[in-house]
Amino acid sequence: MSDPVIQIRGLSVAYGNQLAVRDVSVDIPARQITAIIGPSGCGKTTLLRSMSRLIELVEGVRVWGQVLFHGQNIYDPRVDVTEIRKRIGLLAQRPFTLPMSIYENVAYGPHLHGLRKRKALDAIVEKELRAAGLWDEVKDRLHAPASALSVGQQQRLCLARGLAVEPEVLLCDEVTSALDPISGQRIEARLLELKTDYTIVLVTHVLRQARRLADYVIFMYMGELIEHGPANQVFHDPQEAKTRAYLKGEFY
């Protein structure tokens, strides 16, 4: 396992009196794709969103334990939450484009953080649209509304927008579930390319996708971490009975 960029220690999350994640401790390896798998309602998305403090946007949520990002607990009250969410970005299940042009969607983050030079913004827009595999499809209509793009193109635009603020970690929450197969394949291809430069954590309910993409696997069940390890080991030689049962399709 490569050096961890995120270390989770004794993390628990509750919505009101309902415990959703219970005492999870696991390391997220740098510059790999880590897949979080498990049946519906097992705490996958809660765990994912806890890694960037986005979980705090849910009313009534309580979080205890630690999430260490390069050794610093992101839940320390002295931490700059905006900076954490910049460095640990989220690509959501359904694309949410801003009500502006394709160009402005990508330039929005850098502009918000103080970049004003047009040439620099132009370079970022092209670079990240290329990284998202969208540049050739939109380069002649950058100032058209983002809403005119197909759903698959909008998801890749959201990926480009997320990359434009130069995160180190990219959290992906079932990012292909709303897409057609071809658009889903394009997103998967981009993620495989991006892991050279980014740490990627992917929640997926599709085991075939986890097998295709994952270098490391975390298996959750009823809010608990049951098993984790290199993808080859978890998929081909799981150590826990629940993991074996899930991989055989005995429950979903």
Side-chain angles (χ1 to χ4, degrees):
M1 179 177 179
S2 63
D3 291 339
V5 65
I6 293 176
Q7 297 168 291
I8 299 170
R9 296 291 180 266
L11 182 72
S12 296
V13 182
Y15 302 106
N17 294 323
Q18 183 68 38
L19 198 60
V21 167
R22 182 184 292 106
D23 195 25
V24 168
S25 294
V26 67
D27 292 346
I28 305 297
R31 296 188 179 184
Q32 293 187 20
I33 297 178
T34 296
I36 305 176
I37 64 172
S40 297
C42 70
K44 301 188 297 294
T45 292
T46 297
L47 178 61
L48 185 82
R49 288 175 175 261
S50 298
M51 295 183 200
S52 65
R53 291 187 62 168
L54 284 167
I55 199 67
E56 293 177 316
L57 300 177
V58 179
E59 187 176 350
V61 74
R62 292 182 295 123
V63 181
W64 59 101
Q66 294 185 321
V67 177
L68 304 173
F69 180 52
H70 293 299
Q72 181 182 34
N73 181 19
I74 68 171
Y75 286 93
D76 187 311
R78 296 167 293 183
V79 163
D80 183 340
V81 179
T82 301
E83 180 66 17
I84 288 296
R85 291 176 183 161
K86 176 176 178 283
R87 296 177 67 190
I88 306 175
L90 175 75
L91 188 62
Q93 183 174 1
R94 293 187 177 276
F96 177 74
T97 58
L98 301 174
M100 51 185 67
S101 71
I102 295 166
Y103 180 100
E104 290 168 324
N105 262 267
V106 183
Y108 179 80
H111 190 268
L112 192 67
H113 289 286
L115 186 61
R116 298 289 183 268
K117 294 182 179 178
R118 184 59 184 242
K119 281 188 176 181
L121 289 171
D122 288 350
I124 289 171
V125 169
E126 179 174 348
K127 175 177 179 285
E128 303 311 347
L129 285 173
R130 286 188 182 279
L134 192 57
W135 174 253
D136 289 338
E137 297 168 46
V138 302
K139 62 184 178 183
D140 297 323
R141 49 178 175 141
L142 291 176
H143 299 289
S147 58
L149 297 173
S150 71
V151 174
Q153 288 173 324
Q154 287 183 30
Q155 187 66 300
R156 284 182 284 150
L157 178 62
C158 290
L159 175 58
R161 188 178 70 214
L163 296 175
V165 295
E166 299 183 331
E168 186 175 341
V169 179
L170 189 62
L171 307 178
C172 301
D173 189 6
E174 298 195 14
V175 292
T176 62
S177 64
L179 306 182
D180 63 88
I182 292 175
S183 296
Q185 288 171 9
R186 286 174 175 162
I187 288 287
E188 286 189 7
R190 298 285 80 77
L191 295 180
L192 287 170
E193 292 173 0
L194 290 168
K195 74 176 184 180
T196 304
D197 299 308
Y198 300 88
T199 298
I200 298 172
V201 187
L202 172 74
V203 163
T204 180
H205 66 278
V206 181
L207 276 175
R208 293 187 306 277
Q209 182 176 69
R211 292 179 190 274
R212 286 193 298 268
L213 299 182
D215 302 294
Y216 200 82
V217 173
I218 294 170
F219 173 57
M220 299 284 294
Y221 181 73
M222 296 185 69
E224 295 185 350
L225 174 60
I226 303 301
E227 186 166 352
H228 63 94
N232 281 338
Q233 179 241 297
V234 173
F235 286 134
H236 298 294
D237 186 26
Q239 303 300 299
E240 300 295 330
K242 283 191 178 72
T243 314
R244 292 193 291 271
Y246 179 72
L247 294 176
K248 288 177 182 177
E250 294 179 10
F251 59 88
Y252 300 94

